[in-house]
Amino acid sequence: MIKMKVKDIIRETKGKLIIGNIESECDSFCKDTRILKPEDTYIGIKGENFDGSTLWEQAFEKGAKAVIIQNINFSKNDLEKWENKIIIEVEDTIEAIAKIATYKRELQGKDFQVVGVTGSVGKTSTKDIISNVVSQKYKTLKTQGNNNNNIGLPFTIFKLQDQEAAVIEMGMNHFGELSKLTKIAKPTISVITNIGTSHIGNLGSRENILKAKLEILEGMDKKVLVINNDNDLLNEWNKKEHNDIEIHTYGIENTSEVMAENIKLNENDSEFICNIKGNKFKVKVPVGGIHFVYNAICSATVGNLLGLSANEIKKGIETFELTKKRMDILELKNGVTIINDTYNASFESMKASLEYLKGLNAKRKIAVLGDMFELGEYSKELHEKVGVEVYKNNIDILICNGENAKNIIKSAEKCGMNKENIYYFEDKKQVQEFVESKWEKGDVILFKASNGMKFFDIVSNLEKA
């Protein structure tokens, strides 16, 4: 494997070497001095409230071999003190990490397999299961957590060493963002899980969300795209001519290349027959919910494209584990079960979580729901639609927190849900105290809201109760 050198970084970023050996290798990168390891190259990222470049000296004190910074004036004493280190100055460190990551990806070659995963909901769980399938045949790097933006994605690419494949999650809030990410990662296979309503406030319509998601194709030399054929907009788009795109489909309802048949949904898992172009085999998904069946057949589609056997695909699906805070099932000592799905929320993911809750065998099914963000003018309508889903799925108790979540309550009441089973609280502490005062052995409680609502704090406190 060709290792990156200081001279490569300077060339790619058009940076300036302040001190150091231009032939030195830079193998590992870090943006957080708290977790920095000796010999790391520290990159000072400037955010809205803090400039990481100001911590350059702290990085050296913790053992960094090099720092990449912007807008720092060094004294003569500074340069003498750290004469055995490396300092690279760039105009913009965020732009620099994109250029360095692009070069790092190029070093892997065009034959290196990169699966790019995007979609309105389900990106992280789909990425997790695809990665577990691909890793049955190839040594695989995957995005950790949801580090899927213009900072997280480059730092994922930086971790490439001796892997044979990578599964990279790509997120976006606006037009143009996915275009930048895909040109860094250069996927060989791209996946679009669905087109929903996430970020509709920024993009204006689901049709625009589809257009923004299709930017993932822009970084591909050969356009190989895997899509959920049961998603209405993707299905309609697929019916049009796309001569320059090799499209592969998966689905349950619409005839697709890879299908799930004879589905049996259990409380904590699912079973189905996976049909890949007539090659059928039984699969058990270790997480409940129909959306995880979709994730599984998506991973089977990718695995098949990468030459995995049915047994390898089956093993990859059956042994995968979810990223925490996404449908994380917690069994408490008091006999209460908590579904911690607090990382993010859109109408589609709210609907899926409520449908999953409905299917569980529980004394009472309790939904603790909060605001969904970035919905713009659609916010009231989509929160009201969640209220309809609460009623349709026979939720026993509804607890809400958040200004927009008031529309969930109004809608559930309008549908006919008993007002005595609906509660609203102004702050999370009240939610926590109420849940603790009311929960009973055998209850299952779903916590679901956008990440900014910080419902994970409530769950964390309840775990300790």
Side-chain angles (χ1 to χ4, degrees):
M1 182 187 70
I2 302 173
K3 291 194 175 182
M4 198 179 310
K5 294 186 176 182
V6 170
K7 64 182 181 182
D8 299 320
I9 293 173
I10 291 170
R11 181 187 66 249
E12 297 299 321
T13 63
K14 294 182 171 56
K16 178 182 178 183
L17 182 65
I18 305 298
I19 54 171
N21 183 356
I22 201 166
E23 294 294 333
S24 291
E25 293 178 350
C26 293
D27 196 37
S28 57
F29 297 82
C30 181
K31 59 181 173 64
D32 187 342
T33 56
R34 294 169 296 182
I35 58 173
L36 186 143
K37 302 187 296 295
E39 298 300 296
D40 276 354
T41 294
Y42 172 73
I43 305 178
I45 303 296
K46 185 172 184 178
E48 289 183 13
N49 304 312
F50 186 76
D51 186 356
S53 288
T54 61
L55 299 180
W56 68 272
E57 193 161 23
Q58 187 180 116
F60 280 152
E61 289 168 351
K62 290 199 168 187
K65 73 182 295 184
V67 296
I68 301 173
I69 46 80
Q70 66 181 62
N71 298 327
I72 297 293
N73 293 317
F74 299 99
S75 68
K76 184 179 178 182
N77 287 340
D78 289 335
L79 301 183
E80 289 176 354
K81 181 179 179 180
W82 303 108
E83 61 182 350
N84 294 322
K85 300 287 188 176
I86 300 162
I87 299 176
I88 301 171
E89 185 178 41
V90 296
E91 188 172 328
D92 185 308
T93 51
I94 292 179
E95 288 185 11
I97 62 171
K99 291 171 181 174
I100 298 167
T102 301
Y103 178 66
K104 177 83 171 179
R105 167 65 181 97
E106 288 173 358
L107 291 177
Q108 314 306 309
K110 291 185 177 181
D111 294 333
F112 183 80
Q113 295 294 330
V114 174
V115 181
V117 181
T118 194
S120 292
V121 291
K123 291 185 294 296
T124 300
S125 54
T126 305
K127 172 262 301 179
D128 286 340
I129 196 167
I130 291 174
S131 174
N132 209 55
V133 167
V134 174
S135 67
Q136 303 308 309
K137 183 170 183 176
Y138 303 99
K139 187 173 183 181
T140 305
L141 172 73
K142 74 168 181 176
T143 302
Q144 293 301 312
N146 76 312
N147 289 307
N148 60 20
N149 63 9
N150 64 328
I151 295 173
L153 184 142
F155 274 91
T156 298
I157 299 289
F158 292 156
K159 290 181 170 63
L160 284 170
Q161 297 291 337
D162 60 346
Q163 294 90 350
E164 300 166 302
V167 181
I168 307 293
E169 182 178 335
M170 300 186 195
M172 64 91 207
N173 299 327
H174 298 86
F175 283 119
E177 293 176 343
L178 208 53
S179 176
K180 293 177 182 176
L181 297 182
T182 186
K183 288 168 185 173
I184 296 170
K186 302 283 288 183
T188 51
I189 298 172
S190 287
V191 173
I192 302 180
T193 60
N194 47 54
I195 304 299
T197 55
S198 296
H199 316 304
I200 197 169
N202 298 333
L203 291 160
S205 68
R206 289 182 67 222
E207 288 73 18
N208 279 345
I209 294 171
L210 170 61
K211 185 178 178 181
K213 294 296 182 185
L214 287 169
E215 288 178 5
I216 198 170
L217 298 170
E218 294 176 15
M220 305 183 74
D221 292 327
K222 179 185 178 185
K223 294 177 172 57
V224 180
L225 180 63
V226 172
I227 62 169
N228 176 355
N229 203 30
D230 288 349
N231 181 263
D232 57 344
L233 288 190
L234 288 171
N235 180 275
E236 285 300 315
W237 176 83
N238 187 34
K239 290 175 181 176
K240 301 171 185 175
E241 273 197 33
H242 305 288
N243 295 327
D244 61 333
I245 308 171
E246 181 184 313
I247 302 171
H248 300 271
T249 59
Y250 63 93
I252 297 172
E253 299 167 3
N254 295 317
T255 301
S256 304
E257 205 171 290
V258 177
M259 300 196 69
E261 301 171 351
N262 301 331
I263 300 169
K264 182 182 179 183
L265 298 176
N266 305 315
E267 280 200 23
N268 299 313
D269 57 49
S270 303
E271 300 172 65
F272 66 93
I273 302 298
C274 184
N275 182 350
I276 304 178
K277 298 179 180 179
N279 179 20
K280 299 183 179 184
F281 53 95
K282 190 174 182 179
V283 175
K284 186 173 184 177
V285 187
V287 183
I290 192 67
H291 44 305
F292 285 100
V293 175
Y294 277 104
N295 294 348
I297 54 177
C298 176
S299 71
T301 310
V302 173
N304 184 59
L305 288 172
L306 292 176
L308 275 72
S309 67
N311 284 337
E312 288 170 328
I313 292 170
K314 177 182 171 71
K315 184 179 178 184
I317 293 171
E318 294 186 342
T319 60
F320 100 101
E321 295 181 359
L322 270 177
T323 294
K324 293 296 181 183
K325 293 193 283 189
R326 285 176 166 80
M327 294 297 286
D328 194 12
I329 312 299
L330 307 171
E331 303 282 351
L332 303 188
K333 294 177 182 177
N334 61 359
V336 172
T337 299
I338 287 179
I339 303 172
N340 180 11
D341 199 11
T342 57
Y343 183 77
N344 225 327
S346 64
F347 167 69
E348 291 78 16
S349 64
M350 283 274 196
K351 181 175 183 287
S353 295
L354 290 166
E355 288 174 348
Y356 174 68
L357 180 59
K358 177 186 178 181
L360 298 179
N361 181 21
K363 181 178 181 179
R364 295 181 301 178
K365 295 160 188 176
I366 302 171
V368 183
L369 307 180
D371 288 357
M372 302 178 291
F373 294 164
E374 296 185 358
L375 300 179
E377 64 183 281
Y378 296 89
S379 183
K380 182 175 183 291
E381 174 191 343
L382 290 171
H383 282 88
E384 288 174 346
K385 287 178 72 174
V386 171
V388 174
E389 294 299 320
V390 170
Y391 178 75
K392 280 171 56 178
N393 288 287
N394 301 316
I395 303 306
D396 296 303
I397 297 175
L398 171 64
I399 302 167
C400 287
N401 165 243
E403 193 62 31
N404 291 312
K406 291 177 181 177
N407 292 306
I408 299 176
I409 287 177
K410 290 176 185 176
S411 177
E413 287 180 351
K414 187 176 180 181
C415 288
M417 187 172 181
N418 190 335
K419 291 184 179 180
E420 293 182 0
N421 297 325
I422 300 174
Y423 302 87
Y424 178 83
F425 298 99
E426 291 292 342
D427 63 64
K428 296 192 295 294
K429 182 67 175 173
Q430 291 175 318
V431 173
Q432 177 191 328
E433 291 172 349
F434 180 77
V435 170
E436 284 186 80
S437 71
K438 294 294 184 182
W439 61 12
E440 298 174 8
K441 183 178 181 179
D443 287 346
V444 178
I445 309 173
L446 166 69
F447 286 83
K448 181 78 174 168
S450 282
N451 193 44
M453 294 296 294
K454 297 185 178 179
F455 272 23
F456 48 81
D457 288 337
I458 305 175
V459 173
S460 178
N461 291 332
L462 290 173
E463 279 189 273
K464 300 169 187 173

